[in-house]
Amino acid sequence: MIIISPSLLSCDFAKMGAEVKRMEEGGAQWMHIDVMDGHFVPNITIGAPVLKSLKKDMNSVADVHLMITDPLKYVEDFAKAGADYITFHVESDSDPLETINKIRELGCKPSISVKPKTPAEAIFPYLELVDMVLVMTVEPGFGGQSFMEDMMPKVKAIREECEKRGLHDMHIEVDGGISSDTIATAAKAGANVFVSGSAIFKAPDAKAIITELKEKAAV
Ligand code: DX5
Ligand code: ZN
């Protein structure tokens, strides 16, 4: 199943609620929420109270991406605020097993992410325990960077490992530089959930760009 998850990092923060609606009307099934703490990554973005407000009028799946040093400490806040998927980084300071279990206990779907320099094998011990793997296709921290095509062997290796283990329903998400020029490459490598920030939000017509992305991902 092909899923488009617009990254709200690229929207006008003063119009976030309206932008969520516009994306949903355009056909986006998920909404990607980038949480940055100014420590794990240099930037600071938004926290759980913003998600809680958005959720009052949101029909899409809340896809929370924690780029923070200690996710274990904050997953409860995001679960209570209405997160559906919670992604944390294997490179963070929290114990991955404990973090996955806590996310599951809170009723959310756990997802584990790797930065560009982290090999696929780093998340192999956790594959049976998560619903999604997020492969970063840029260095996390900022929107609008160029897609790293050299991450495709990593996507492929994770998809192959999942298939080998019978994990046929695993979502593999890619995040960073996804546009109508790059989405097919990521889809061919095995990704099925596509985060896109600047490419979607700079387009004048949300429905047109989301439809185009879905079509190009169908390879
Ligand atoms: C980067 C964030 C991404 C970012 C993607 O650290 O995790 O979600 O918003 O933005 P684009 O699509 O512009 O690369
Ligand atoms: Zn993200």
Side-chain angles (χ1 to χ4, degrees), residues 90 96-97 100 112 122-130 165 170:
V90 70
L97 218 53
I100 290 168
I112 193 162
I123 52 99
F124 282 3
Y126 312 106
L127 284 178
E128 275 81 6
L129 306 171
V130 295
R165 297 190 192 185
M170 181 74 78

Side-chain angles (χ1 to χ4, degrees), residues 30-91:
W30 290 16
M31 223 42 71
H32 188 79
I33 294 136
D34 284 308
V35 178
M36 306 187 187
D37 64 355
H39 188 255
F40 185 76
V41 288
N43 210 0
I44 297 179
T45 55
I46 55 170
V50 176
L51 173 61
K52 193 176 174 202
S53 296
L54 288 176
K55 281 292 284 195
K56 286 181 199 146
D57 193 19
M58 184 168 153
N59 299 309
S60 44
V61 169
D63 170 30
V64 173
H65 179 193
L66 300 178
M67 285 163 276
I68 64 179
T69 300
D70 195 0
L72 186 55
K73 201 168 150 189
Y74 294 95
V75 286
E76 190 165 355
D77 288 352
F78 285 94
K80 284 186 177 152
D84 294 296
Y85 282 77
I86 301 183
T87 299
F88 69 97
H89 275 265
V90 70
E91 306 88 354

Side-chain angles (χ1 to χ4, degrees), residues 158-196:
I158 295 169
R159 182 58 82 196
E160 280 171 7
E161 189 64 23
C162 289
E163 290 301 315
K164 210 168 88 187
R165 297 190 192 185
L167 304 169
H168 307 300
D169 295 332
M170 181 74 78
H171 287 309
I172 300 185
E173 183 175 58
V174 281
D175 183 7
I178 298 295
S179 68
S180 44
D181 293 332
T182 59
I183 195 164
T185 305
K188 271 186 209 133
N192 73 299
V193 182
F194 305 91
V195 177
S196 178

